[in-house]
Amino acid sequence: MDKLPWLGASVKRKEDDRLLRGSGRFLDDVEETLALHLAIGRCPYPHARIRRIDAARALELSGVETVLIGEQVVARTEPITVLRPFPGSAPTVFHGMAHGVARYEGEPVVAVAAVDRYVAEDALELIDVDYEPLPHVITVEDALRPGAPQLHATVPGNVVVESTVRAGEPDKRLADAAVTVDGTFRINRVSGAPIETRGVIARWAEDTSTLELWASTQTPHLLRAQLAHCLRMDETDVRVIAPDVGGAFGLKIGVYPEDIIAALLAIDTRRPVKWIEDRTEFFRGAAHAREAVHALTIGADRDGALLVLRDRYLIDLGAYHGPLGPPLLTSIMLAGPYRLHDAEIHRRVVLTNKVPMGAYRGYGQAESNYVREVLVDRLARRLGQDPADFRRRNLLRPDELPFKNVSGATYDSGDYARGLERALSRVGYETFRTRQKAWRQQGRHVGVGMSCYVEFTGYPSSAFLGRTGARFGAYESVTLRMDRAGRAALSTGVSTFGQGTETTFAQMAASLLGLDPVDVAIHRGDSQGTPYSVGGFASRTMIAGAGAIEKAAGQIRDKMLRIAGHILDVDPAALEATAGMIRRRDDPSVQVSIQRVSEAAFLGHPLPPGEDPGLEATAYFDPPSSAFGYGTVVAQVEVDARSGEFALQRYILVHDCGTQVNPMIVEGQVQGAVAQGIAAALFEELVYDRETGQLVNGTMVDYFMPTAADLPAFELDHLETPSPVTPFGIKGVGEGGTIAAAAAITNAVCDALAPFGVDLDRLPVTAESIWRALAGARAKG
Amino acid sequence: MPVVELTVNERAVRVDVPGQWTLIQLLRDGLGLLGTKEGCGEGSCGACTVLVDGRLTRACLALAVRADGARVTTIEGVGTDAALHPIQDAFVRHGAIQCGFCTPGLVITTKALLDEHPWPTDHDIREFLSGNFCRCAGYNLILNAVRDAAGVVTEKR
Ligand code: FES
Ligand code: FES
């Protein structure tokens, strides 16, 4: 195929005009007349038996329509399914509302539908819930102790699943290794924290006897599937519509208890039921992410060849499986971009009385990158090698790809060392060590840290997902239709949550149909009128979507050429579609407009004999392989060795996401992901009090998200190695920026403080944690 | 029910306002101006930022009845049907919008900044914008857009 005209162009985003004018329509902007408003009573304890609920006084309050309690929900619904369970997991029965026992602070216990939110909240105050607090566990270590409170009868010992991945001969390599280092690392519990909270409007459509659910979701079709299952309905009788979504980041995948509650109340009352999450609820109801404890060992031979990796880690799942399930990519990507054949990875997914874990941008990959890259630096130091040299030696070379890593993932393409070198030269690494020495003599502690990653994007086929127990496919789909004016309408089940899909999909379709992107209208996010779709997550939409668009547009283009050939009396094989016209390749003056061809298809005349009217195609594309992006972060910090305070002076990321469909959108995705990566590395942590089991900092004031004043300018550089295994060589890009942040900054701080022998092993990295590490190192002498 | 008379985006309006309503409710529920967004309802995120008599105001905290006699500018009052305001245009060109939920508040904040400091320093810009969270775009692109709108040359390292 000729080069696609709009592929690689920084086309202005289609979404921007409406969003800038305040005309974007988010969940709270969806107008529903006569809606009831929902308020949800939540368990104030981390773990409690619900002995009795008395709602009599609430029901007497004027304006209250109805009250729903857990007993009813449990009787009328199925538990929430898990979209991507860890293979072999024991079930944690998670309903739309707690009945009998509530297992985390914030779990829904009772709900009120009333004429407005104020009345509904007042009514909650009138409901008597008799709780019997039960012993709770807040840390994974506590949850594993003999005699620890048990969260679920189905999960003995609070371990949902325990399994091991083994490759090669890890024990032998450990014994052989000249040098081994180990470390225990704690990864903080954080939240994706989109600026738009969750929200839902449920409506029973009397005319069609169907349920309509407007939801702030990144997966309309998967939400529909899960919701229908919970409600014991057929999917066909449920319609899910995602309006503009105000940020998602993995947190808005799948069905949540509130969706089920709103749906039941809409069915009962025959009125629309609306719920907008407030921020207090958000921190206690929307998925938390990342928290894990890793005990990692790596070893190398005397020359510094990486020989072996052994990890034993605990994932803190919270109180239930959320709708998606815990991350699988932690294990899959632990080996990173290195030549490593021998490993043992042992993982346990553990229950605690906290909000259920969900996905967050870089799911699993940010976790494994952090522990591995920090320990790689320690290993290099132990070997007396420069951390850059150690990585140079062990990074996979382009001629070693494709390479199957110890967990079975096959890296497709890339030049990992080139990314490292580019980032190092940007920071002036050649001369940095000399400068660093000079600064040290002046009492200044400046350090550079690096972190290399390879990133799993997209899924390697629906069959792969099926084999590993997932309840969704790897595909994406579109319906494309030409209208009589010669414009295209593209329908996709993917919703719009900031990723720019409306623009990039239009670019692809326009390129393949010979149109301008402005002539491609996008209909998105509505399960009705779009083909089955998986949705926007796992950096997969562009890869799978581009394949679907290629197929659908190809069918339409071929038909347009046949019709044009008929009109022009030319062999269709001699024609091409470009710039709104169908014309002869060798004589562009012989041409007919796409508008006229579309009109012929619409009128059914003039068409070649036997040709059906219409210009419309639906296509699915199931990617056969994942594509692997990669990159290196180099961070520079200066640390005050007395107070632990530090400044992040430079932040350099060189990355490769294959073919870029729209470089401006890629830049935005990377910028945003880097900001979130640094945020989780330096600022954010959801803290639970071990004694009371309460979330200590569940407000925007106490959960320190960075502002424009808190982050440095990032220095980004792109390499472009088209993937050999995906349509147009596209690799996913939405998540990569988060992955390497924590390790690069940790390594930079440890490098700055190398004379003190400081090791850091927990996130976030704060002045206090550095100060403590310094004090510890001094005490050790 | 109290009646509030005010000017919104250069238009005089009268609205019946329940006593507990905040300004954002007046705008959204009373006037159907849905461009102003609520991200937290507790004064933290800046998504609800509007101008009241030229001053930056968090519409989720301001009481609606207090707006009597005020001149309010919301995102709907920035730019025209025919053309975006130069601030909005700079946001487009710099890729400073992703999900767009924070965008109305950021555009209003930028307008206040440039009204007050036609030639803002980088410090002014960061200072002004530090009351608005954006979770998607990572700030640097937004800062570039604001610098551009202000005619300030992007600071280069
Ligand atoms: S909604 Fe007003 S500051 Fe967040
Ligand atoms: S663009 Fe999504 S929060 Fe700013």
Side-chain angles (χ1 to χ4, degrees), chain A residues 28 62 95 144 157 236 262-263 283 370 441 510 581 659 730:
Chain A
D28 198 17
S62 151
H95 276 282
L144 293 176
T236 305
F283 282 109
Y370 165 66
Q441 269 153 17
M581 306 300 288
T659 304
I730 295 166

Side-chain angles (χ1 to χ4, degrees), chain B residues 27-110:
Chain B
L27 294 168
R28 293 179 54 92
D29 302 340
L31 296 173
L33 292 172
L34 300 174
T36 303
K37 306 299 177 198
E38 182 166 314
C40 67
E42 58 188 38
S44 302
C45 74
C48 66
T49 306
V50 297
L51 297 178
V52 177
D53 295 325
R55 280 195 322 274
L56 283 179
T57 303
R58 313 225 139 173
C60 72
L61 294 183
L63 270 184
V65 288
R66 297 284 297 279
D68 198 41
R71 299 178 68 83
V72 175
T73 304
T74 69
I75 189 67
E76 288 89 348
V78 182
T80 62
D81 280 356
L84 293 173
H85 186 280
I87 295 171
Q88 293 168 313
D89 189 56
F91 271 62
V92 174
R93 284 183 287 107
H94 287 274
I97 307 145
Q98 288 188 26
C99 79
F101 198 79
C102 69
T103 307
L106 273 162
V107 169
I108 291 282
T109 302
T110 306

